[in-house]
Amino acid sequence: MANDDVPEWDDADGEEEDTAASVTSEEVTRAVVTDTDWTAETILSQLRRGNIQLNPRFQRRDAWNKPRKSRFIESLILGLPIPQIVLAEDKNRRGKFIVLDGKQRLLALRQFAAGSSFAASAEEEDFKGFSLTGLEVREDLRLATLRKMEHDDSYVDDLNSLLNETIRTVVVRRWPNEDFLNLVFLRLNTGSVKLSPQELRQALHPGPFTDFLDDCASESEWLRAALRIDKPDFRMRDVEVLLRYFGFQFTLDEYTGNLKKFLDDTVNLLNAQWEKEEVRIKQVGNNCNQAIEATFKIFGDNAFYRWAAGKYEGRFNRAVFDVMTYYFSEEPIRVKAFSRTSSVESAFRDLCDTSPRFVESIQTTTKTPLATHRRLSLWGEALSGALDIQLRVPELRDNRLIP
């Protein structure tokens, strides 16, 4: 698997186009956006009291190494400029905040405070602490922690400099709807690494399935193999890919072309059904791992790539992932495919070579119900022929997919 922080994925079927679809100028005007000069001590206090949503789970999607975190702390001690933090007040809980931008900075600050008086005792074992390393100016602070600085008088000036340093914090209140937050979320990151809206979804739609989805994606070696990453993606794009799979398994008939709404509704439905359907939901998740494994057995290193111009493109394709896991999640289909691996692979290559409609459905126009139906039905028919068995292929009625 690749070691790149940002894997080379075919993002043609991502969510970005859906996220700010219905924000009006009037709604933007009603929102209250304030600049707040919070000190590092104030932010640590907010984190300690749980007012800023910074789940310990975020650590496994940690994008910064220790030297980068250390230099951020060093910048605070030196009073150097740092980017602002952007928060949105939780509509249901006044004084509680969702992180729109700055999660890595907040996580670094919270981890540096592990074991100190600024960390809630109940969370001391939840957050991994670190000591300063790789510093560029204050090499004398090497191996220091906030706890050590609290208990050693030789650090008193540096401790005061750190705690009193102002961190510009923008707080969004009275936001009209989730589309508005998605608009803010995307505008903050225009021109930089594309962020997955899944980060925001995790905060706005909490629940037992939301937590399970995160755990399932993080623990799945097969999902990481499919995405060619060696650790959970720090922007939760792996979680979004897995959520698409759950959506296709549970709510395909509700898909109308708005991918964001489809994924939001899937999360909300499975959160609500968790108590009654936990066993089934977990089994469906396990089936995804087996479907990925089956795809690798058939396609080898070219699993989840698109075939074009006589070769595999070498980039993960979400739409190909959708169709492969949709069918190979069923054990009878997997078992049959294992006995005809060359026929299955040939069927996929032939479909890419001879069907412009299929190619379009996995390459360009991918989000519409028609395109979704085309790739599922065309591959289902080709797979059926390769396996010489009758598969249940989704139908399209009144622009709705019927499994």
Side-chain angles (χ1 to χ4, degrees), residues 20-69:
S22 57
V23 180
T24 66
S25 58
E26 181 181 351
E27 288 172 333
V28 172
T29 303
R30 286 205 307 267
V32 177
V33 180
T34 58
D35 290 336
T36 305
D37 289 334
W38 280 354
T39 64
E41 183 174 15
T42 300
I43 290 178
L44 281 169
S45 176
Q46 295 281 8
L47 290 169
R48 183 182 70 247
R49 294 182 306 189
N51 290 339
I52 299 176
Q53 294 182 20
L54 197 67
N55 196 304
R57 294 169 183 267
F58 290 159
Q59 292 179 113
R60 63 187 171 206
R61 302 180 183 279
D62 200 340
W64 288 7
N65 58 22
K66 289 182 181 179
R68 186 171 181 181
K69 295 175 189 176

Side-chain angles (χ1 to χ4, degrees), residues 1-9 11 60-65 68 104 193-195 227-238:
M1 286 179 284
N3 293 319
D4 297 333
D5 284 341
V6 181
E8 188 176 10
W9 294 356
D11 282 336
R60 63 187 171 206
R61 302 180 183 279
D62 200 340
W64 288 7
N65 58 22
R68 186 171 181 181
Q104 296 299 325
V193 176
K194 287 186 178 180
L195 302 186
L227 302 178
R228 278 69 176 181
I229 57 178
D230 56 12
K231 61 181 180 180
D233 181 62
F234 70 93
R235 295 305 185 193
M236 291 190 168
R237 289 168 295 184
D238 52 343

